[in-house]
Amino acid sequence: MAIPDKQVKSNTDILDNRRTQTRIQVRIPKDLHEEPVISRLVSHYGVTILIAAAELSANAPEYSCFDLELRGTTSQIESALTYLDELDLEVLRQSNPEEDGW
């Protein structure tokens, strides 16, 4: 008996919904300090954020730096990283969600 299309999940769907995590360091330039960049990662993309370290100051010369662990589905994390890229933020030490998986 054939399985209805709605019940069959593709490998892409399974990977997109798999829970995972990735660690990044993001530099937020001074001109974006008033923007809720990290808050938007949570509210718009549904990722959970662990702030492992941060360097920020009202007198920061160029940028503030955050070491973040992003937790969520593969698609949520990819969307969050795309958002950071669209803001033209420098993202360093990005680990591969496939390698960091739970």
Side-chain angles (χ1 to χ4, degrees):
M1 175 157 72
I3 300 173
D5 288 338
K6 289 184 180 180
Q7 291 180 359
V8 177
K9 289 189 175 185
S10 71
N11 287 339
T12 303
D13 290 340
I14 292 169
L15 289 175
D16 285 348
N17 292 317
R18 184 176 64 98
R19 301 284 304 168
T20 191
Q21 63 190 27
T22 191
R23 292 179 187 91
I24 63 170
Q25 183 180 73
V26 62
R27 292 183 176 182
I28 301 176
K30 194 169 188 168
D31 62 325
L32 289 179
H33 283 186
E34 298 295 319
E35 295 294 318
V37 174
I38 294 174
S39 175
R40 284 188 182 136
L41 293 174
V42 175
S43 63
H44 292 150
Y45 303 99
V47 295
T48 300
I49 305 284
L50 170 67
I51 301 174
E55 288 183 39
L56 60 148
S57 168
N59 300 326
E62 296 178 34
Y63 58 85
S64 293
C65 190
F66 296 87
D67 290 345
L68 305 175
E69 183 174 290
L70 308 179
R71 296 179 181 180
T73 65
T74 302
S75 61
Q76 287 172 319
I77 291 174
E78 288 175 2
S79 295
L81 293 173
T82 298
Y83 164 69
L84 296 175
D85 187 54
E86 288 170 353
L87 290 176
D88 201 27
L89 299 180
E90 185 177 0
V91 178
L92 306 170
R93 296 188 312 193
Q94 181 175 338
S95 55
N96 183 344
E98 297 301 319
E99 294 172 3
D100 279 351
W102 289 349

